[in-house]
Amino acid sequence: MSEGTMQRAAQRDDQRDQRDRRAGRLRRVLVCAAAVPAVLAVAGCSSDSGSQGGDAKQSASDSSTGTGTGSASPSPTVQAAAYHKLPESCAVLSKKTLGQLVPKSSKSGKKGNSSDVLSRASCSWSSLDDNGVKGSQFRWLNVSLLRFESDTSRGSADQQAQAYYTKQIQDTRAVTGAKNLKSQTLTGTGDEATVLRYDLRKKEGDFKQQTIVARVENVVVTLDYNGAGLAGEKTPNADDLVKSAQKAVKEAVSAVASANTGSAASPSPSPSKSAAKKG
């Protein structure tokens, strides 16, 4: 083979190699170009999925915390008070009852000081039946009324009155110097009532003390009644004093209901509570 023939053959080989390299590069470009839409599609799906997941999580969070629109929690409420005022404290007992319990007292009674007569009131009477050298019979009577109003921070008026009713009983049981303490439930007087009786020695003599605590709806009535025989007079019968006190507290409880009868602000009585129960 001549030198010229060998050169032409070498040139053809070089040209063929160059064509093969160009063809290889073109195939790689086409493969990459075909792969790009698939990658973009995957990336697009992932982006949409993440956005939807985030929205779902946010929606769940709003629902659980009540921050979403239309899902705000309602404001707390409490049951309204049944009674909105108190009766005139010195008029809760009839003249006949006062004549039996404190026969020698001033019929008008002594009204307690109060900055809010719609919520707190009291009246007291004292009687001294002087029998000369035979001694004297002393009687003392006090009626206190406390009314509670419903409040979202402290609870319903009934709940507050019930708590105060319980505390009044506990305080009476803890009176210093009380002896022979007895207590009993009094039925037919408001929603609940308790009679507590005990003996108490004072420098003036031996006193028989009766305390009756009664609750009617959101009002607590506390009646204190005591008696003593002074300067040689005999000590009064405790059973008689208790009966008189029970009659008086029933009148006081009825006076609370009567004071609110016909009031525009006073709701109708609950069907579950009869008029007899309030009497």
Side-chain angles (χ1 to χ4, degrees):
M1 180 180 300
S2 65
E3 181 177 355
T5 301
M6 293 178 63
Q7 288 178 347
R8 285 192 295 272
Q11 288 176 351
R12 286 195 297 269
D13 290 339
D14 289 339
Q15 291 173 354
R16 187 170 52 253
D17 290 341
Q18 289 176 1
R19 287 195 301 271
D20 291 341
R21 285 196 294 270
R22 285 196 298 270
R25 285 197 298 271
L26 180 59
R27 282 194 300 270
R28 285 195 297 273
V29 169
L30 292 175
V31 169
C32 290
V36 167
V39 172
L40 291 176
V42 172
C45 292
S46 299
S47 177
D48 290 344
S49 175
S51 175
Q52 292 173 358
D55 291 343
K57 291 179 181 179
Q58 183 63 38
S59 176
S61 175
D62 290 346
S63 176
S64 63
T65 59
T67 57
T69 57
S71 61
S73 300
S75 300
T77 59
V78 292
Q79 181 179 356
Y83 296 131
H84 297 272
K85 60 183 178 179
L86 294 176
E88 171 62 41
S89 59
C90 290
V92 295
L93 302 179
S94 67
K95 291 181 178 179
K96 180 180 178 179
T97 298
L98 289 172
Q100 293 172 346
L101 274 67
V102 281
K104 300 297 181 178
S105 71
S106 169
K107 302 306 180 185
S108 60
K110 183 180 180 180
K111 185 183 294 187
N113 294 326
S114 175
S115 59
D116 183 3
V117 295
L118 293 178
S119 297
R120 184 186 297 271
S122 66
C123 191
S124 62
W125 300 261
S126 61
S127 171
L128 183 63
D129 186 3
D130 190 350
N131 296 312
V133 295
K134 293 182 179 180
S136 303
Q137 284 291 333
F138 175 77
R139 300 289 186 274
W140 182 77
L141 172 66
N142 185 80
V143 178
S144 297
L145 305 103
L146 190 63
R147 187 187 69 86
F148 294 87
E149 193 64 61
S150 294
D151 185 270
T152 54
S153 62
R154 292 175 299 193
S156 71
D158 276 20
Q159 290 174 332
Q160 295 177 65
Q162 189 170 42
Y164 180 76
Y165 165 83
T166 301
K167 186 178 184 301
Q168 283 288 84
I169 295 173
Q170 293 173 343
D171 290 347
T172 302
R173 292 179 182 277
V175 170
T176 302
K179 295 180 179 180
N180 304 318
L181 176 66
K182 299 177 182 179
S183 65
Q184 66 184 77
T185 299
L186 179 60
T187 59
T189 304
D191 295 298
E192 51 188 339
T194 300
V195 179
L196 300 105
R197 51 193 286 190
Y198 56 87
D199 299 333
L200 191 63
R201 177 178 288 276
K202 298 183 180 181
K203 62 180 181 179
E204 298 88 352
D206 294 330
F207 285 74
K208 297 292 183 179
Q209 172 72 37
Q210 284 64 229
T211 296
I212 303 180
V213 186
R215 181 183 70 84
V216 52
E217 300 283 5
N218 58 309
V219 176
V220 176
V221 178
T222 303
L223 183 142
D224 290 297
Y225 182 49
N226 64 45
L230 308 178
E233 182 65 281
K234 65 179 181 180
T235 302
N237 184 284
D239 291 337
D240 292 339
L241 296 179
V242 167
K243 290 179 182 178
S244 296
Q246 289 176 349
K247 178 182 178 181
V249 78
K250 287 178 185 291
E251 283 189 20
V253 166
S254 296
V256 173
S258 297
N260 289 272
T261 300
S263 172
S266 179
S268 301
S270 169
S272 64
K273 296 180 180 177
S274 64
K277 189 174 181 181
K278 292 185 180 181

